[in-house]
Structure formats: C-alpha cells, structure tokens
Amino acid sequence: IMALTSGYVLGHNLRLYIGAVGVGHADSCSISYDVDTKELSDKDVDPGSTSPSAVALTLGKKRCTLTSSGFVVESADGITPSTGGYSTLLGDLHAGTAIAWKYTTGVAGDTSISGSGYITKFSSNGDDGSEAKYSIEVKSNGTITVGTVS
C-alpha cells in the first residue's frame, strides 16, 4: 500500500504515530484496513440458473486496527522518540482519551493513512533476562484518510 518512491519500502521506515510523534522504541507496527460487506443476492442476480453462483456485494463501514510494540522506557515526558510514551499510552487507554493516529514512512511521496481513534489494548511483559516490552492496539473512530506525504 505504500508508494514505491525509491524501491521496496523497508519495514524499519514504517511507523505508527500518535499525534505528530512516532511511538518510540517500537520494533514492530501493523495496520489492518477493513470494509464490511453485505451480500444482496436475490432471485434477479442470476435468473434462470439451476445453480446460482453470482453474488452482489454492497460495501459498508470502514475501520482500521493498528498495532505497535516496542521496548518499555519509563518516563513522564509523554510520547517522544526518546521515551516511547509507555506511561502516556497507558494513560490514554485508562482515561479513554481520543487520539489522532497516522501510519506512514514519513517520506515525501509515500502513502499516509490517518484518522482518529482510541487505544483499546495495552499489554506489557517482562521476561527474565530480557528488556521489558509493551504492545498497543488502536481502533479507528470516524473518517479514515488515505493521502500522500508532502
């Protein structure tokens, strides 16, 4: 879905942004953009057929689910590239705060998908001998915009 402005897009360059800042210390991110469908097949879709196979679809509501995971850095500085926003992300979920989100490389000419939504899941794990990690899930609320980074 990203523009091939300079060849293949490296996963390293894709990022989930909350507000205008990339979620820091992230090591993974993803987006799923779905459209509801409804079958409206009736007796007029494939008339006279003894084994009807045609389907008429209507498109419905659109939604995005975004995820990001990364390393936990404790800080009260909010979402910044240096802090990761661990405390802020948890606080936004706990308070039910609406957020603006964007999924992009940030490279001029590449695709940018954006909207508003809510952090609906937050998890963290701390395995012995490893750095603590977190993950979040964001669900869209309202209009989703697909554009180009200028």
Side-chain angles (χ1 to χ4, degrees), residues 43-78:
K43 295 178 182 182
D44 296 324
V45 171
D46 201 358
S49 177
T50 56
S51 58
S53 60
V55 174
L57 291 178
T58 295
L59 299 180
K61 297 175 184 176
K62 299 174 184 174
R63 67 181 54 82
C64 282
T65 302
L66 304 100
T67 63
S68 185
S69 65
F71 296 97
V72 172
V73 175
E74 282 286 1
S75 173
D77 293 337

Side-chain angles (χ1 to χ4, degrees), residues 13-27:
N13 295 334
L14 281 172
R15 184 163 233 170
L16 172 61
Y17 291 77
I18 304 288
V21 181
V23 176
H25 298 287
D27 63 355

Side-chain angles (χ1 to χ4, degrees), residues 69-102:
S69 65
F71 296 97
V72 172
V73 175
E74 282 286 1
S75 173
D77 293 337
I79 302 170
T80 69
S82 62
T83 67
Y86 173 79
S87 296
T88 301
L89 297 169
L90 177 57
D92 286 346
L93 174 124
H94 184 71
T97 304
I99 57 155
W101 59 264
K102 180 171 48 173

